[in-house]
């Protein structure tokens, strides 16, 4: 008979509002996407390790006709500062994390 696990999710420093600001100020809309007026969402998956560092960053869902959007989304995630690591039963743990990043003309 096991007790339920208590988990705390990893967090970007300053929480979601700070992460949204970071993405907005760091993201550079690719010129190839601007030229073709492409918009959409790139979903990036990564691991927040036990020390809060991001690893295994990869695109799981890209934008058709915009490989540069996927590359830019990976660049932005790679540039993020160290996160507060997540934990399970008070022990730091690796967490898989998925994050949608929107690309819209004018950003």
């Amino acid at each position: 008979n096991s007790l339920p696990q208590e988990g705390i999710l990893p967090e970007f420093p300053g929480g979601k509002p700070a992460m949204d600001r970071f993405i907005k100020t760091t993201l550079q809309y690719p010129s190839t996407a601007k030229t073709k007026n492409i918009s959409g969402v790139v979903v990036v998956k990564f691991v927040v390790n036990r020390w809060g560092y991001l690893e295994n960053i990869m695109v799981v869902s890209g934008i058709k006709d915009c490989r540069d959007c996927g590359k830019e989304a990976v660049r932005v995630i790679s540039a993020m500062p160290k996160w507060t690591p997540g934990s399970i039963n008070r022990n730091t743990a690796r967490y898989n994390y998925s994050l949608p990043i929107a690309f819209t003309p004018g950003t």
Side-chain angles (χ1 to χ4, degrees):
N1 169 348
S2 65
L3 295 170
Q5 290 190 338
E6 257 186 66
I8 297 171
L9 293 174
E11 187 177 52
F12 184 89
K16 182 158 175 18
M19 181 169 62
D20 292 344
R21 273 193 310 278
F22 176 87
I23 291 170
K24 187 174 182 167
T25 57
T26 309
L27 187 73
Q28 295 173 0
Y29 192 72
S31 57
T32 52
K34 273 184 191 162
T35 307
K36 298 176 185 174
N37 204 30
I38 292 172
S39 64
V41 175
V42 173
V43 179
V44 181
K45 180 176 99 172
F46 54 94
V47 171
V48 181
N49 74 18
R50 294 174 46 206
W51 299 274
Y53 294 104
L54 309 186
E55 312 176 322
N56 304 338
I57 302 164
M58 65 183 76
V59 174
V60 289
S61 172
I63 299 171
K64 185 178 178 345
D65 300 327
C66 189
R67 283 186 79 177
D68 289 343
C69 293
K71 288 179 186 173
E72 177 59 9
V74 168
R75 185 194 71 80
V76 169
I77 300 300
S78 300
M80 284 184 167
K82 185 176 151 181
W83 287 36
T84 302
S87 63
I88 297 173
N89 292 335
R90 297 193 184 106
N91 297 314
T92 56
R94 290 171 54 92
Y95 270 87
N96 291 316
Y97 206 94
S98 291
L99 189 63
I101 297 183
F103 286 83
T104 49
T107 54

